[in-house]
Amino acid sequence: MKNLLVISVASLIFAAACNTNETSEKTMSLTPPKADKIPKQLTIHDDVRIDNYYWLNQKDEPEVIDYLERENDYYEKMTAHTKQLKEDLFEEMKSRIKEDDASVPYFYNGYYYITKFETGKDYPIYTRKKGSLEAAEEVLFNVNEMAKDYSYYNLRGINVSLDNKWAAFGVDTLSRRKYTLHIKNLETGEILPQTIELTTGSSTWANDNRTLFYTRKDEQTLRSNEIFRHTRGSDPAKDVLIFTEEDETFNTYVYKTKSDKYLVIGCSSTLTSEYHILDANAPMGTFKVFQARERGLEYGISHFGTDFYILTNKDDATNFKLMKTSEKKTSQENWVDVIPHRNDVLMEDIDIFKEYLVVSERSNGLNKIRIKRWDETADYYLPFDNETYTAYTTQNPEFDNKVLRYGYNSLTTPASVIDFNMETQEKTVMKEVEVLGDKFDKNNYASERVWATAEDGTKIPISLVYRKGMKKDGKNPLLIYGYGSYGATIDPYFSSSRLSLLDRGFVFAIAHIRGSEYLGRQWYEDGKLLNKKNTFTDFIAASKYLIAEKYTSKDHLYASGGSAGGLLMGAVLNMAPEIYNGVIASVPFVDVLTTMLDDSIPLTTGEYDEWGNPNLAEYYHYIKSYSPYDNVAALEYPNIFVTTGYHDSQVQYWEPAKWVAKLREFKKGDNKIFFHTNMDAGHGGASGRFEALKEVAMDYAFLLDLESIKE
C-alpha cells in the first residue's frame, strides 16, 4: 500500500486555499480526498466481487487515520461558510433546553430517585431522598465529576441492592459499549477497588445484597455470551461462570423480576427466546429452564403471586397474546390464555401491579394503554385524541401501587410525565418538558397522518408536522426520516431541536415503512429477510407521495436515517437518486454483504434472522441486489452528508468510509459529498447532552445551506 502520509495533491490545494482570501465560491473548487484503490478479491457461491477499498478496515493504521482526517479536513473547509450558522443553530437549540432541570421523582424501595442537570453541565447527577421529598438529598453519582477527564463518558445500569447500601454501575469511556462494572458503597461513598471488565454495564443483585450477577461480552464479537456470579469484595478473577450462550445467533442477559422473587437469565435471538429462573433468596442455587428454546417461539415472562404471565407468539399468535402458568409448572404445555391473540392488535408489553394489569398495545399504528383489574371489575383504555402521538408506560417499579406513570408526547406537544390513578381514573401531569424562550407556542404547529401507496398497493402511513399556514405549493423544504428494521417502530415524537427546521419553513415527516411493527408484527415480517426491499420501496413511495401532493418537490426534498436507517438511505440513493436534493446518512450500515460474511465483526451472527445468512446462496444474491456499497453506480447522486464514529461497535467506521470513497469514484455531476468522522465517539455519537447538539447542528446546517437559508 502506498504511504498515504505523503502529502497529497488535495492537501496542497487545501493549504493554498487557506492562504488566500478567495471567496467561498472559489473554495468550492477544492478537490475531494481520494482513497487509494487496492483491489481485494472476495469470492463465494462462484461469485467474485472486487473491493477496492477493503483496506480501510485496518483500524489505527496511519494510512487509514490519514484518509479519515483528510475527509474531515475537506468537510471543514467546504463548509467553512456555514460555521457561523452551525454555531447559531447550536446556541439556538441549547437555549430551548432548561439547563437546571430535574426528572419527576419516582419511588422505589423506600427512596425517591431523581436525575438532575445543572446549568452548563453536560452530564446528569443521580440523587435520592429517603422516605420523603423533603428529606435530605443524597448524591449517588455526579457524572460531570466522573467524566471530567474523558472526551467520551457513559454511565449506565445503576443497580441498587435491596438493603439500599450498594450500587453497581457500568462505565464506558471509549464508546465501544465495553463497560467496566464498579460497585459503590452508598453509605461511605467509597467505590470498591475491584472492577469487572468487558461487561454490558448491566447487573442484578441477589436478595442477600452481596451476590451480583452480570453479563460479559466476547472480546472480539462483543456478543453478550456469558453470565457470571460475583461476591462483593472478592477478586473478580474468581467469579463463577454460571451460564454460557453457545449459539452465536443468541445474546444473553440477567435481571430480577419486579416481584423480587426470581433471578432470570434471558437468551434471545431475532426469532427465539429462552429463560432460566432461580429463587433470588438462594443465589448459590442452580438456574432451571423455564421453557426450552424452540425456533420461532418468542416469549417474555413476568411474575405475580404464584404465577408467571407470559407474553408470547405461541400457537401462531403473530401479534402476541398473554398467557399464564404456575411458577411450579413453567413449560409451555401448562400455559393458558389470559388475553387471546387478535389479528388487528399488537400486544407489546405488560406492567403488573398488585391490583391491576396494564397492557401496552398498538392498533392501526397507534399506541394504546389498557388497564384491567385482576378481579375483572374494570377494563378500559386511556383516551388519546390524535394520530401523531407517542404514549408509553414508564417508571413503575413499585408493585403495590394504584398509580400508573406513563409518558406522552406528540409531534406538536413536548414530552409529559403523567401519573394516572387507576382506581379514580384521575390523571395528574407531573411535568411537561419546558421549551425555553418566548418563540415556542404549540398552537403554531400542525400535524397530520397521511397514507402513500406502495408499488404492491400497500398503504404506507406518514406522520407530518409543520408550522401552521404551510401551503401545499411544492416549494416547502421537507425532511423525511426513516428506519424500518428489527421491528423497531419510530413513533411520532416531539423534538425541541427540530423547531430550528420547522421555524425556517421545513416540513418534517416520518415514514412508517415496513420493517417496523407500526402496523403489527406482519408489518415487520414484510420488511425483513427476502422481503427487505419493501422497506426501501415504501420509503421511495412515501417520498413520491409527498411530492405529488405538493408538500414539497424534488428540488426541496431531503431524507435522513441512521444505522439500519443509513442502509435505507444508501439503498434509496441507488434506487431513486433523482427525487432528493440531499440525504443525511448517520453511522450507516452500507456494506451489508461483506459485514454479514464476516462473523468476527460484532453483532454479525445475531443478525442472520434479520437480513439472512449470505453463506447461503439465496440470501447472498438477494442481499447483493440491494447492499448500498455493492450497488454504487455511475449515477447523478444528490448532495450527501455521511457521519460516523471511529469507535463505533455497531456499524464499524470503515463501512461509511468505503462507501464514500466509492461514491466519489463513481458519482456523476457536481453535487457534494461530505464525510465526517467523530474520532472520539461511537455509534451513539457524542456523550454529553450539549456536545450531541453540535452534531445535530452539523446536519441542519447541511440542509439549510442547500436551501440557501443563511440564518
Side-chain angles (χ1 to χ4, degrees):
M1 183 187 303
K2 94 181 150 186
N3 191 342
L4 298 183
L5 290 176
V6 176
I7 298 177
S8 65
V9 174
S11 299
L12 292 173
I13 296 174
F14 290 161
C18 289
N19 291 321
T20 68
N21 293 317
E22 300 284 320
T23 64
S24 61
E25 286 79 8
K26 290 187 178 180
T27 303
M28 302 300 277
S29 66
L30 287 167
T31 302
K34 186 175 181 180
D36 275 6
K37 293 173 64 174
I38 304 174
K40 169 79 171 180
Q41 181 171 306
L42 303 169
T43 305
I44 187 173
H45 305 306
D46 297 322
D47 183 62
V48 177
R49 292 181 298 137
I50 303 299
D51 188 346
N52 289 318
Y53 304 106
Y54 187 89
W55 64 270
L56 281 168
N57 69 359
Q58 299 177 52
K59 190 174 184 180
D60 298 334
E61 286 297 315
E63 295 89 345
V64 173
I65 298 292
D66 178 70
Y67 173 68
L68 297 178
E69 289 180 343
R70 285 191 291 123
E71 283 284 4
N72 282 355
D73 194 35
Y74 177 71
Y75 165 77
E76 293 296 339
K77 288 182 169 65
M78 290 290 286
T79 62
H81 62 289
T82 67
K83 181 180 179 181
Q84 188 61 51
L85 176 60
K86 282 185 275 194
E87 292 175 359
D88 292 345
L89 286 166
F90 169 73
E91 293 297 336
E92 181 181 296
M93 291 185 286
K94 183 180 176 183
S95 72
R96 297 192 190 104
I97 297 173
K98 191 173 188 295
E99 294 194 39
D100 55 339
D101 203 2
S103 66
V104 178
Y106 69 90
F107 190 74
Y108 175 62
N109 195 26
Y111 283 82
Y112 284 95
Y113 287 85
I114 306 163
T115 303
K116 304 195 306 182
F117 285 93
E118 293 182 343
T119 300
K121 302 292 181 63
D122 260 322
Y123 295 97
I125 302 170
Y126 297 101
T127 71
R128 68 179 182 178
K129 296 182 177 184
K130 187 175 182 179
S132 166
L133 290 173
E134 283 68 52
E137 180 180 79
E138 177 185 345
V139 175
L140 303 177
F141 301 97
N142 185 338
V143 185
N144 298 289
E145 288 296 317
M146 301 168 76
K148 62 184 179 182
D149 296 326
Y150 300 93
S151 58
Y152 178 92
Y153 195 92
N154 186 10
L155 183 150
R156 75 179 297 258
I158 298 173
N159 169 35
V160 179
S161 59
L162 270 181
D163 63 5
N164 290 306
K165 295 180 180 179
W166 304 92
F169 63 99
V171 173
D172 174 15
T173 58
L174 193 61
S175 193
R176 285 287 288 176
R177 302 190 184 185
K178 296 179 180 179
Y179 290 86
T180 299
L181 209 58
H182 304 262
I183 297 175
K184 182 175 183 178
N185 184 325
L186 297 180
E187 293 184 325
T188 67
E190 175 195 10
I191 295 179
L192 301 187
Q194 298 85 10
T195 61
I196 304 170
E197 306 294 329
L198 199 61
T199 79
T200 62
S202 296
S203 61
T204 192
W205 291 100
N207 290 349
D208 64 358
N209 303 301
R210 63 191 298 270
T211 307
L212 187 72
F213 293 84
Y214 63 90
T215 310
R216 181 164 276 161
K217 294 185 171 187
D218 180 271
E219 175 73 50
Q220 183 175 24
T221 67
L222 300 186
R223 183 172 68 92
S224 307
N225 66 330
E226 295 177 330
I227 305 293
F228 282 83
R229 185 180 67 223
H230 171 76
T231 301
R232 173 172 41 82
S234 68
D235 181 356
K238 298 179 180 179
D239 288 356
V240 179
L241 173 64
I242 60 168
F243 179 79
T244 301
E245 178 50 72
E246 302 288 358
D247 190 326
E248 293 184 348
T249 67
F250 278 71
N251 288 294
T252 188
Y253 50 93
V254 61
Y255 67 96
K256 189 159 57 173
T257 58
K258 184 176 175 178
S259 66
D260 286 325
K261 186 172 181 179
Y262 288 97
L263 295 161
V264 182
I265 293 175
C267 311
S268 63
S269 70
T270 305
L271 298 175
T272 308
S273 314
E274 181 180 85
Y275 292 90
H276 305 241
I277 59 174
L278 174 66
D279 185 339
N281 291 310
M284 298 299 167
T286 302
F287 283 80
K288 73 169 187 176
V289 176
F290 186 93
Q291 161 59 45
R293 67 189 66 178
E294 293 182 5
R295 181 164 177 81
L297 176 64
E298 299 177 64
Y299 71 97
I301 59 176
S302 300
H303 179 254
F304 172 55
T306 59
D307 296 315
F308 278 97
Y309 285 78
I310 307 141
L311 193 63
T312 179
N313 67 348
K314 184 178 182 294
D315 304 321
D316 297 319
T318 305
N319 279 333
F320 289 76
K321 63 179 177 177
L322 186 64
M323 307 183 78
K324 79 170 184 177
T325 191
S326 165
E327 60 186 0
K328 295 180 180 179
K329 296 180 178 180
T330 61
S331 55
Q332 63 173 309
E333 64 268 18
N334 300 295
W335 301 359
V336 296
D337 282 3
V338 176
I339 301 177
H341 176 257
R342 290 157 290 172
N343 290 326
D344 59 346
V345 177
L346 174 67
M347 194 177 299
E348 295 187 314
D349 202 2
I350 62 171
D351 289 273
I352 288 180
F353 296 84
K354 183 178 180 181
E355 297 180 27
Y356 295 90
L357 170 67
V358 178
V359 185
S360 297
E361 302 176 348
R362 185 181 297 274
S363 176
N364 195 32
L366 305 180
N367 301 129
K368 307 286 187 181
I369 298 177
R370 181 182 182 183
I371 296 171
K372 291 169 54 74
R373 281 188 64 95
W374 290 113
D375 63 11
E376 299 185 351
T377 59
D379 186 348
Y380 58 92
Y381 287 86
L382 294 181
F384 301 112
D385 59 0
N386 67 72
E387 292 188 328
T388 56
Y389 70 89
T390 301
Y392 51 92
T393 63
T394 178
Q395 293 141 328
N396 292 286
E398 284 290 299
F399 178 69
D400 189 2
N401 194 353
K402 291 183 173 63
V403 176
L404 169 72
R405 176 162 290 177
Y406 71 94
Y408 174 88
N409 70 95
S410 75
L411 286 173
T412 59
T413 305
S416 300
V417 176
I418 299 167
D419 279 356
F420 181 80
N421 189 307
M422 294 180 282
E423 185 172 69
T424 66
Q425 299 191 29
E426 295 176 328
K427 75 174 185 178
T428 303
V429 178
M430 303 301 292
K431 178 179 181 178
E432 180 175 295
V433 171
E434 187 177 355
V435 180
L436 298 185
D438 55 7
K439 293 183 179 180
F440 175 71
D441 180 347
K442 68 178 75 175
N443 296 312
N444 290 334
Y445 304 89
S447 65
E448 60 179 312
R449 185 169 67 159
V450 297
W451 299 77
T453 303
E455 290 180 347
D456 61 2
T458 303
K459 296 294 184 182
I460 311 300
I462 309 166
S463 296
L464 294 159
V465 62
Y466 43 80
R467 280 191 70 95
K468 287 181 178 176
M470 183 271 296
K471 296 179 180 178
K472 293 168 66 173
D473 57 8
K475 297 180 181 179
N476 306 297
L478 187 150
L479 175 62
I480 180 171
Y481 172 83
Y483 188 76
S485 292
Y486 304 108
T489 299
I490 309 300
D491 285 308
Y493 63 98
F494 182 84
S495 164
S496 65
S497 299
R498 190 190 300 137
L499 297 174
S500 292
L501 290 182
L502 301 183
D503 290 346
R504 290 172 172 84
F506 267 76
V507 178
F508 178 78
I510 301 172
H512 303 292
I513 50 185
R514 282 175 282 187
S516 75
E517 289 184 343
Y518 186 80
L519 291 178
R521 178 67 178 213
Q522 193 59 46
W523 201 246
Y524 171 41
E525 300 293 338
D526 290 343
K528 64 185 287 196
L529 297 174
L530 299 176
N531 294 320
K532 189 63 209 171
K533 289 183 184 178
N534 285 336
T535 301
F536 316 136
T537 54
D538 284 0
F539 190 85
I540 293 168
S543 300
K544 289 181 176 179
Y545 171 88
L546 295 170
I547 293 170
E549 293 298 312
K550 298 190 181 301
Y551 286 96
T552 189
S553 63
K554 295 179 181 180
D555 292 337
H556 300 287
L557 178 60
Y558 304 91
S560 73
S563 193
L567 161 64
L568 169 65
M569 294 300 102
V572 165
L573 279 168
N574 289 329
M575 296 168 70
E578 72 283 354
I579 65 173
Y580 304 96
N581 190 39
V583 169
I584 298 172
S586 307
V587 292
F589 176 39
V590 285
D591 191 13
V592 186
L593 206 50
T594 304
T595 292
M596 293 303 298
L597 284 167
D598 185 352
D599 59 14
S600 71
I601 294 176
L603 306 180
T604 292
T605 55
E607 304 274 293
Y608 289 157
D609 287 334
E610 180 70 25
W611 315 105
N613 182 351
N615 291 294
L616 304 176
E618 180 182 28
Y619 289 109
Y620 173 88
H621 292 294
Y622 187 77
I623 293 172
K624 184 181 179 183
S625 72
Y626 69 73
S627 177
Y629 183 66
D630 291 289
N631 288 280
V632 170
L635 300 171
E636 190 164 338
Y637 289 99
N639 300 285
I640 303 171
F641 181 33
V642 182
T643 60
T644 192
Y646 187 59
H647 300 292
D648 196 331
S649 61
Q650 310 301 106
V651 178
Q652 309 293 323
Y653 75 88
W654 60 75
E655 289 202 36
K658 290 167 55 177
W659 183 47
V660 168
K662 192 170 182 180
L663 283 168
R664 292 203 189 286
E665 176 187 355
F666 279 87
K667 85 174 189 74
K668 298 165 62 178
D670 299 323
N671 287 331
K672 298 177 283 292
I673 298 176
F674 298 142
F675 178 40
H676 184 269
T677 303
N678 185 330
M679 301 301 290
D680 297 319
H683 199 63
S687 56
R689 58 173 175 160
F690 298 130
E691 283 301 308
L693 287 180
K694 292 180 180 178
E695 297 177 346
V696 178
M698 291 166 63
D699 290 347
Y700 286 5
F702 172 74
L703 300 173
L704 295 172
D705 187 44
L706 291 174
E707 284 292 313
S708 299
I709 299 173
K710 302 185 183 303
E711 58 183 28

